[in-house]
Amino acid sequence: MNQQQNKNRAFGFMLVILGASFWGIGGTVAQKLFQQEHIEVGWLVSSRLLVAGILLIAIYKITHRHQSIFVMWRTKQDAFRQILFSLLGMLAVQYTYMMSIAIGNSAVATLLQYLAPLFIISYYIIKKYSKLTKQDGIAVSLTLIGTTLLLTNGSFSTLSVPFMSVFWGVLSGLAVAFYTLYAVPLLQQFHSLLVVGWAMLIGGVTMSIFYQPWHIELSTWTFATTAYFFFIIIFGTMLAFWFYIASLHYLSPKETSLLGSLEPLMAVITSVLWLQIPFGGFQMIGTLLILCMILYLTVFQKKNLEL
């Protein structure tokens, strides 16, 4: 591996780490808006996607003045792929993740979302891109045990969060897996700013059919509410998704999904320290096991992770 490749991979690592960190912190800020500021989930999803999508497309046009922003709409095939990515990827990730947070909390929602690497590994095995390895088996075991402890806190008679939070969280993990895998061919043709920007704009327009962004009583908003809202748009949405997707230029889907381990870590830390979310001993052990799974696959995976 030459020096330029090393630099590219290092840049990819930086992008996915920043994106995952912003995503994790943004989830905790969203929980604050849902549970203490009483902002509706659907309204926040439609608003953040619309604003972030317009900003990303505008940034692309400013930095690429002579390039068209409509390049992916020139053929039916490209347009269909972009729409599918927008609805089943971007919008699905946003809505399922936010629903899991609103019903439960951002720490559990984010950790459930990080079942995505296992879904990606399963996809590779089913499609026969790779075989089930010892590393994969250990990762599955760590995840199953860790998730069980996280959701039950050692008591199998009840879940530590509502069942529907778990349901939306698992769907979020599936959506992230699809989002990560399906983005690769789009990025081979189009700039990441356009892919993510159009995905957010299409997702936001779709959600606006059901939750109109302009229907909000701003007179009840405080300065803190406004600051949280714009933090979610700029850092928790626009930069988080852009950096995550852009990292796929330099890393494989497996690596990108696994190296995003800072997302659940940041969500847990900010939830416990800032929102004072109680986390039991067994839940902390479960969290550590899930993080160990991600770290194990990232650091000790012996086989080449590239497709």
Side-chain angles (χ1 to χ4, degrees):
M1 185 176 295
N2 59 40
Q3 187 176 4
Q4 186 58 47
Q5 287 177 313
N6 285 330
K7 288 182 178 179
N8 288 342
R9 286 179 59 77
F11 186 63
F13 293 154
M14 182 190 72
L15 286 175
V16 72
I17 288 170
L18 283 174
S21 297
F22 291 155
W23 207 343
I25 297 171
T28 305
V29 176
Q31 182 181 341
K32 178 85 170 178
L33 288 178
F34 295 147
Q35 299 178 357
Q36 297 185 27
E37 304 292 337
H38 308 294
I39 300 296
E40 191 175 20
V41 173
W43 182 88
L44 181 61
V45 172
S46 63
S47 299
R48 71 189 292 196
L49 287 178
L50 277 175
V51 176
I54 292 170
L55 287 174
L56 285 176
I57 293 173
I59 291 172
Y60 176 82
K61 190 59 182 176
I62 292 170
T63 56
H64 300 75
R65 293 184 180 181
H66 303 294
Q67 302 295 323
S68 171
I69 63 172
F70 302 105
V71 288
M72 63 265 293
W73 305 110
R74 291 174 177 170
T75 68
K76 291 182 179 180
Q77 182 180 12
D78 291 337
F80 176 77
R81 287 163 60 186
Q82 179 66 46
I83 292 171
L84 195 64
F85 175 70
S86 303
L87 299 180
L88 298 185
M90 178 65 72
L91 179 57
V93 168
Q94 287 280 331
Y95 188 73
T96 55
Y97 180 52
M98 289 297 157
M99 283 296 294
S100 184
I101 290 173
I103 298 171
N105 62 68
S106 63
V108 171
T110 308
L111 286 161
L112 286 172
Q113 190 181 69
Y114 260 77
L115 294 174
L118 292 186
F119 295 139
I120 292 175
I121 289 171
S122 299
Y123 172 79
Y124 280 179
I125 293 171
I126 292 171
K127 297 293 288 186
K128 297 182 180 179
Y129 293 141
S130 63
K131 296 180 179 179
L132 182 64
T133 66
K134 178 182 178 181
Q135 288 89 346
D136 293 337
I138 293 174
V140 170
S141 300
L142 286 172
T143 301
L144 290 177
I145 296 171
T147 304
T148 300
L149 291 175
L150 172 70
L151 298 178
T152 64
N153 195 28
S155 174
F156 291 90
S157 60
T158 183
L159 291 173
S160 62
V161 293
F163 171 76
M164 288 308 296
S165 178
V166 178
F167 172 78
W168 287 111
V170 172
L171 285 184
S172 179
L174 284 168
V176 170
F178 175 83
Y179 177 93
T180 304
L181 292 167
Y182 201 77
V184 174
L186 286 170
L187 291 173
Q188 291 172 346
Q189 288 184 273
F190 310 113
H191 196 283
S192 57
L193 276 171
L194 280 185
V195 174
V196 177
W198 275 112
M200 288 183 174
L201 185 58
I202 293 169
V205 169
T206 302
M207 282 298 292
S208 296
I209 297 172
F210 309 99
Y211 302 94
Q212 291 75 33
W214 51 90
H215 288 168
I216 186 67
E217 184 54 62
L218 293 176
S219 62
T220 62
W221 281 33
T222 64
F223 174 80
T225 305
T226 305
Y228 295 152
F229 176 68
F230 281 104
F231 178 90
I232 289 173
I233 288 177
I234 301 300
F235 292 95
T237 307
M238 188 179 79
L239 294 181
F241 279 80
W242 177 21
F243 288 175
Y244 183 86
I245 282 295
S247 71
L248 290 169
H249 280 298
Y250 312 101
L251 306 172
S252 74
K254 270 189 180 181
E255 288 176 307
T256 291
S257 65
L258 294 172
L259 287 167
S261 58
L262 273 182
E263 182 189 345
L265 184 60
M266 294 303 294
V268 169
I269 291 173
T270 52
S271 294
V272 173
L273 296 182
W274 184 42
L275 298 185
Q276 306 296 311
I277 299 298
F279 239 56
F282 284 106
Q283 286 178 294
M284 291 304 298
I285 294 172
T287 299
L288 289 173
L289 288 175
I290 292 174
L291 293 175
C292 283
M293 175 273 293
I294 299 169
L295 183 64
Y296 175 79
L297 286 176
T298 303
V299 177
F300 297 105
Q301 186 95 317
K302 293 182 180 180
K303 289 191 173 183
N304 189 350
L305 289 173
E306 300 292 333
L307 283 174

